[in-house]
Amino acid sequence: MKLEYWSRASLLSSIAMVVAGSAVAVDKIPAESGLGGFITLGASHTRFSSNMISGTDLGDIGNERIDSLTDSPDTESSTSGFFTGELNYTFADTRTQLFLGNSLEDLVRYDLAFQGGIRQELSDNGILSAAVLFSAIPTNVWADPYVIGQDRIETERESAGGRIGWAAVMGTGLEVNISHRSIEIDNEKSGEFLNLSAADVARLSREGDQFTLDVSYKYDLGQGHSFIPKIKYNNFDLDGAAMERDRIDLELAYAYLSR
């Protein structure tokens, strides 16, 4: 079957303006205690195709009805504004920071996850972080994506877990993050329309665990401009054996930060 679980999304272009801080990476903890944060405003053009995801409460993608399980999903193109941000509180004496926010990277994948946690600066050796991940706005998926010839029903996909990271490793532009999420679908009915056996229906379950390791490097070009290449390894250890997979993503981001 050519029905795809994880969607293909490409951010073709984005222009970001940052207010009061860096939205790309945390290079150092502020020198003064107090409340801070940033808001990232911008515009993006996105091409997205999926036979599993139907969108979010902020907008829909994909087709409610399909007539074949072997046809590729239609590609949706959209241009829109976006905003992401973070609220944080710094304890300057201990070089510690508490934070709550979301990221542009998750936003373009229709994964509106938030993270809340703590950062600790290690002098010139970088910043360690630990955070809890949770779905602020659940992603909508098709309860049974294999339904053909009639309208499919939406349900919510939520995830929760944790992330640990090391930014500005040993004073360089290197950043490493490891995360784990538990994925739950409110009304998982994959394959029931096809009258499969209970064992085969279980093989299509999209619930389970996702493990991610990503490594990036920020190259400063001067005057607020930077390039950030990233390699990301994903392991989807899902309950359905047919849905388990490993995936490697290669990303290249450009950022302009105005302080």
Side-chain angles (χ1 to χ4, degrees):
M1 287 185 181
K2 201 174 180 180
L3 200 58
E4 300 177 4
Y5 174 43
W6 295 105
S7 315
R8 298 190 304 261
S10 59
L11 185 66
L12 300 185
S13 62
S14 69
I15 303 172
M17 176 180 68
V18 180
V19 181
S22 167
V24 178
V26 177
D27 297 318
K28 62 186 303 183
I29 302 295
E32 297 182 0
S33 297
L35 195 64
F38 62 79
I39 297 176
T40 306
L41 305 174
S44 68
H45 180 72
T46 305
R47 290 171 55 85
F48 200 96
S49 61
S50 174
N51 261 329
M52 295 288 177
I53 296 177
S54 61
T56 70
D57 290 343
L58 302 179
D60 294 328
I61 64 169
N63 297 322
E64 193 172 27
R65 179 185 295 234
I66 59 174
D67 296 316
S68 172
L69 296 180
T70 58
D71 291 343
S72 297
D74 293 338
T75 298
E76 303 285 341
S77 298
S78 64
T79 301
S80 62
F82 66 82
F83 75 91
T84 61
E86 178 182 294
L87 182 66
N88 55 55
Y89 191 90
T90 299
F91 300 90
D93 292 343
T94 59
R95 315 305 299 142
T96 305
Q97 186 178 74
L98 304 178
F99 65 92
L100 174 68
N102 62 346
S103 73
L104 174 62
E105 181 181 6
D106 289 332
L107 184 67
V108 300
R109 289 192 175 89
Y110 287 88
D111 183 4
L112 304 184
F114 269 65
Q115 58 177 339
I118 185 171
R119 300 185 180 105
Q120 180 63 51
E121 187 173 288
L122 305 176
S123 185
D124 295 329
N125 295 321
I127 298 173
L128 294 180
S129 64
V132 174
L133 304 174
F134 58 96
S135 296
I137 302 177
T139 299
N140 295 327
V141 299
W142 303 118
D144 185 352
Y146 304 99
V147 171
I148 59 174
Q150 64 187 58
D151 291 347
R152 296 182 289 183
I153 298 173
E154 288 185 329
T155 189
E156 291 185 345
R157 186 189 74 193
E158 298 180 319
S159 65
R163 174 181 291 152
I164 57 174
W166 187 6
V169 177
M170 303 306 292
T172 69
L174 180 65
E175 181 171 350
V176 180
N177 292 283
I178 300 173
S179 64
H180 165 264
R181 298 186 189 190
S182 178
I183 300 169
E184 295 184 356
I185 295 176
D186 285 352
N187 193 21
E188 170 62 293
K189 293 183 174 295
S190 290
E192 293 186 8
F193 176 83
L194 302 176
N195 293 318
L196 301 177
S197 67
D200 285 339
V201 167
R203 287 173 56 83
L204 296 176
S205 174
R206 294 164 289 174
E207 297 185 305
D209 298 311
Q210 176 185 353
F211 301 91
T212 302
L213 168 66
D214 66 72
V215 180
S216 63
Y217 199 96
K218 180 182 177 184
Y219 292 94
D220 288 318
L221 305 178
Q223 299 182 335
H225 300 273
S226 59
F227 276 112
I228 308 100
K230 175 185 290 188
I231 183 170
K232 178 182 291 188
Y233 167 73
N234 295 276
N235 171 253
F236 299 104
D237 185 17
L238 304 178
D239 296 340
M243 308 305 291
E244 292 182 342
R245 66 185 63 196
D246 295 320
R247 189 182 74 197
I248 294 178
D249 298 332
L250 300 176
E251 302 175 8
L252 178 62
Y254 160 79
Y256 171 70
L257 304 180
S258 176
R259 298 179 183 273

mmCIF file of all heavy atoms in Angstrom, residues 19 51 56 80 86-88 114 125 145 152 163 171 210 217 228 230 242 244:
data_model
loop_
_atom_site.group_PDB
_atom_site.id
_atom_site.type_symbol
_atom_site.label_atom_id
_atom_site.label_comp_id
_atom_site.label_asym_id
_atom_site.label_seq_id
_atom_site.Cartn_x
_atom_site.Cartn_y
_atom_site.Cartn_z
ATOM 1 N N VAL A 19 11.717 39.221 18.437
ATOM 2 C CA VAL A 19 11.664 40.310 19.388
ATOM 3 C C VAL A 19 12.159 39.807 20.736
ATOM 4 O O VAL A 19 11.669 38.808 21.240
ATOM 5 C CB VAL A 19 10.222 40.846 19.528
ATOM 6 C CG1 VAL A 19 10.176 42.003 20.513
ATOM 7 C CG2 VAL A 19 9.692 41.278 18.170
ATOM 8 N N ASN A 51 -2.059 11.133 3.960
ATOM 9 C CA ASN A 51 -3.293 10.371 3.983
ATOM 10 C C ASN A 51 -3.710 10.030 5.403
ATOM 11 O O ASN A 51 -4.680 9.299 5.616
ATOM 12 C CB ASN A 51 -3.147 9.080 3.187
ATOM 13 C CG ASN A 51 -3.729 9.206 1.788
ATOM 14 O OD1 ASN A 51 -4.684 9.941 1.583
ATOM 15 N ND2 ASN A 51 -3.134 8.512 0.840
ATOM 16 N N THR A 56 -5.402 20.519 12.042
ATOM 17 C CA THR A 56 -5.517 20.886 13.453
ATOM 18 C C THR A 56 -6.764 21.747 13.605
ATOM 19 O O THR A 56 -7.463 22.027 12.634
ATOM 20 C CB THR A 56 -4.288 21.674 13.941
ATOM 21 O OG1 THR A 56 -4.289 22.982 13.322
ATOM 22 C CG2 THR A 56 -2.986 20.954 13.606
ATOM 23 N N SER A 80 0.956 31.462 4.643
ATOM 24 C CA SER A 80 0.287 32.047 5.801
ATOM 25 C C SER A 80 1.309 32.675 6.732
ATOM 26 O O SER A 80 2.520 32.447 6.619
ATOM 27 C CB SER A 80 -0.501 30.977 6.563
ATOM 28 O OG SER A 80 0.371 29.978 7.061
ATOM 29 N N GLU A 86 8.456 32.037 23.309
ATOM 30 C CA GLU A 86 8.876 31.435 24.575
ATOM 31 C C GLU A 86 8.787 32.461 25.686
ATOM 32 O O GLU A 86 9.085 33.645 25.492
ATOM 33 C CB GLU A 86 10.304 30.907 24.479
ATOM 34 C CG GLU A 86 10.817 30.308 25.790
ATOM 35 C CD GLU A 86 12.250 29.821 25.699
ATOM 36 O OE1 GLU A 86 12.504 28.855 24.946
ATOM 37 O OE2 GLU A 86 13.121 30.427 26.355
ATOM 38 N N LEU A 87 8.350 32.023 26.847
ATOM 39 C CA LEU A 87 8.363 32.827 28.063
ATOM 40 C C LEU A 87 9.332 32.164 29.029
ATOM 41 O O LEU A 87 9.275 30.943 29.228
ATOM 42 C CB LEU A 87 6.960 32.882 28.672
ATOM 43 C CG LEU A 87 6.782 33.732 29.939
ATOM 44 C CD1 LEU A 87 7.009 35.212 29.619
ATOM 45 C CD2 LEU A 87 5.396 33.514 30.534
ATOM 46 N N ASN A 88 10.231 32.940 29.598
ATOM 47 C CA ASN A 88 11.207 32.356 30.506
ATOM 48 C C ASN A 88 11.486 33.253 31.706
ATOM 49 O O ASN A 88 11.166 34.451 31.699
ATOM 50 C CB ASN A 88 12.520 32.023 29.769
ATOM 51 C CG ASN A 88 13.106 33.223 29.054
ATOM 52 O OD1 ASN A 88 13.349 34.275 29.648
ATOM 53 N ND2 ASN A 88 13.347 33.074 27.749
ATOM 54 N N PHE A 114 4.158 21.899 22.879
ATOM 55 C CA PHE A 114 4.812 22.859 23.749
ATOM 56 C C PHE A 114 5.833 22.121 24.603
ATOM 57 O O PHE A 114 5.738 20.914 24.815
ATOM 58 C CB PHE A 114 3.789 23.559 24.651
ATOM 59 C CG PHE A 114 3.228 24.821 24.068
ATOM 60 C CD1 PHE A 114 2.448 24.767 22.921
ATOM 61 C CD2 PHE A 114 3.467 26.048 24.654
ATOM 62 C CE1 PHE A 114 1.916 25.926 22.371
ATOM 63 C CE2 PHE A 114 2.952 27.206 24.120
ATOM 64 C CZ PHE A 114 2.172 27.154 22.974
ATOM 65 N N ASN A 125 31.028 26.023 28.637
ATOM 66 C CA ASN A 125 30.883 24.677 28.072
ATOM 67 C C ASN A 125 29.502 24.412 27.487
ATOM 68 O O ASN A 125 29.227 23.301 27.034
ATOM 69 C CB ASN A 125 31.191 23.631 29.142
ATOM 70 C CG ASN A 125 32.639 23.694 29.592
ATOM 71 O OD1 ASN A 125 33.535 23.900 28.780
ATOM 72 N ND2 ASN A 125 32.862 23.543 30.895
ATOM 73 N N PRO A 145 -7.927 5.739 8.416
ATOM 74 C CA PRO A 145 -7.511 6.346 7.145
ATOM 75 C C PRO A 145 -7.750 5.458 5.935
ATOM 76 O O PRO A 145 -7.616 5.909 4.799
ATOM 77 C CB PRO A 145 -6.012 6.597 7.359
ATOM 78 C CG PRO A 145 -5.604 5.601 8.380
ATOM 79 C CD PRO A 145 -6.791 5.430 9.288
ATOM 80 N N ARG A 152 -14.408 10.164 5.760
ATOM 81 C CA ARG A 152 -13.664 9.665 6.907
ATOM 82 C C ARG A 152 -13.928 10.541 8.129
ATOM 83 O O ARG A 152 -14.245 11.720 8.005
ATOM 84 C CB ARG A 152 -12.173 9.609 6.586
ATOM 85 C CG ARG A 152 -11.835 8.633 5.468
ATOM 86 C CD ARG A 152 -10.359 8.551 5.184
ATOM 87 N NE ARG A 152 -9.844 9.759 4.540
ATOM 88 C CZ ARG A 152 -8.576 9.911 4.134
ATOM 89 N NH1 ARG A 152 -7.704 8.936 4.334
ATOM 90 N NH2 ARG A 152 -8.189 11.028 3.539
ATOM 91 N N ARG A 163 12.407 15.799 26.852
ATOM 92 C CA ARG A 163 13.552 16.095 25.996
ATOM 93 C C ARG A 163 14.713 16.571 26.854
ATOM 94 O O ARG A 163 14.537 17.341 27.802
ATOM 95 C CB ARG A 163 13.185 17.164 24.970
ATOM 96 C CG ARG A 163 14.355 17.655 24.106
ATOM 97 C CD ARG A 163 13.887 18.732 23.127
ATOM 98 N NE ARG A 163 13.009 18.164 22.111
ATOM 99 C CZ ARG A 163 12.056 18.848 21.480
ATOM 100 N NH1 ARG A 163 11.848 20.124 21.772
ATOM 101 N NH2 ARG A 163 11.317 18.260 20.559
ATOM 102 N N GLY A 171 31.183 25.587 23.907
ATOM 103 C CA GLY A 171 31.350 26.934 23.361
ATOM 104 C C GLY A 171 31.254 27.027 21.850
ATOM 105 O O GLY A 171 31.533 28.078 21.281
ATOM 106 N N GLN A 210 7.844 7.364 20.200
ATOM 107 C CA GLN A 210 8.733 7.973 19.209
ATOM 108 C C GLN A 210 9.996 8.452 19.920
ATOM 109 O O GLN A 210 9.922 9.216 20.884
ATOM 110 C CB GLN A 210 8.059 9.151 18.515
ATOM 111 C CG GLN A 210 8.984 9.880 17.533
ATOM 112 C CD GLN A 210 8.341 11.120 16.928
ATOM 113 O OE1 GLN A 210 7.160 11.386 17.136
ATOM 114 N NE2 GLN A 210 9.127 11.890 16.200
ATOM 115 N N TYR A 217 24.173 22.392 13.852
ATOM 116 C CA TYR A 217 25.308 23.298 14.054
ATOM 117 C C TYR A 217 24.929 24.665 13.490
ATOM 118 O O TYR A 217 24.502 24.776 12.331
ATOM 119 C CB TYR A 217 26.573 22.778 13.366
ATOM 120 C CG TYR A 217 27.835 23.417 13.920
ATOM 121 C CD1 TYR A 217 28.579 22.773 14.904
ATOM 122 C CD2 TYR A 217 28.251 24.672 13.492
ATOM 123 C CE1 TYR A 217 29.726 23.355 15.429
ATOM 124 C CE2 TYR A 217 29.396 25.264 14.020
ATOM 125 C CZ TYR A 217 30.127 24.602 14.986
ATOM 126 O OH TYR A 217 31.242 25.189 15.515
ATOM 127 N N ILE A 228 21.709 26.968 9.795
ATOM 128 C CA ILE A 228 21.700 25.889 10.782
ATOM 129 C C ILE A 228 21.372 24.573 10.088
ATOM 130 O O ILE A 228 20.188 24.249 9.896
ATOM 131 C CB ILE A 228 20.694 26.151 11.923
ATOM 132 C CG1 ILE A 228 20.901 27.524 12.558
ATOM 133 C CG2 ILE A 228 20.816 25.061 12.992
ATOM 134 C CD1 ILE A 228 19.940 28.567 12.063
ATOM 135 N N LYS A 230 20.924 20.514 10.034
ATOM 136 C CA LYS A 230 20.554 19.568 11.088
ATOM 137 C C LYS A 230 20.342 18.186 10.488
ATOM 138 O O LYS A 230 19.815 18.038 9.389
ATOM 139 C CB LYS A 230 19.274 20.020 11.792
ATOM 140 C CG LYS A 230 18.747 19.030 12.838
ATOM 141 C CD LYS A 230 17.412 19.469 13.419
ATOM 142 C CE LYS A 230 17.554 20.678 14.301
ATOM 143 N NZ LYS A 230 16.283 20.981 15.023
ATOM 144 N N ALA A 242 3.260 -3.090 11.492
ATOM 145 C CA ALA A 242 3.331 -2.587 10.114
ATOM 146 C C ALA A 242 3.638 -1.096 10.061
ATOM 147 O O ALA A 242 3.996 -0.580 9.002
ATOM 148 C CB ALA A 242 2.020 -2.870 9.386
ATOM 149 N N GLU A 244 5.783 0.468 12.369
ATOM 150 C CA GLU A 244 7.101 0.765 12.922
ATOM 151 C C GLU A 244 8.054 1.170 11.815
ATOM 152 O O GLU A 244 7.995 0.647 10.703
ATOM 153 C CB GLU A 244 7.653 -0.456 13.645
ATOM 154 C CG GLU A 244 6.909 -0.813 14.917
ATOM 155 C CD GLU A 244 7.538 -2.000 15.618
ATOM 156 O OE1 GLU A 244 8.311 -2.740 14.952
ATOM 157 O OE2 GLU A 244 7.272 -2.194 16.816
#
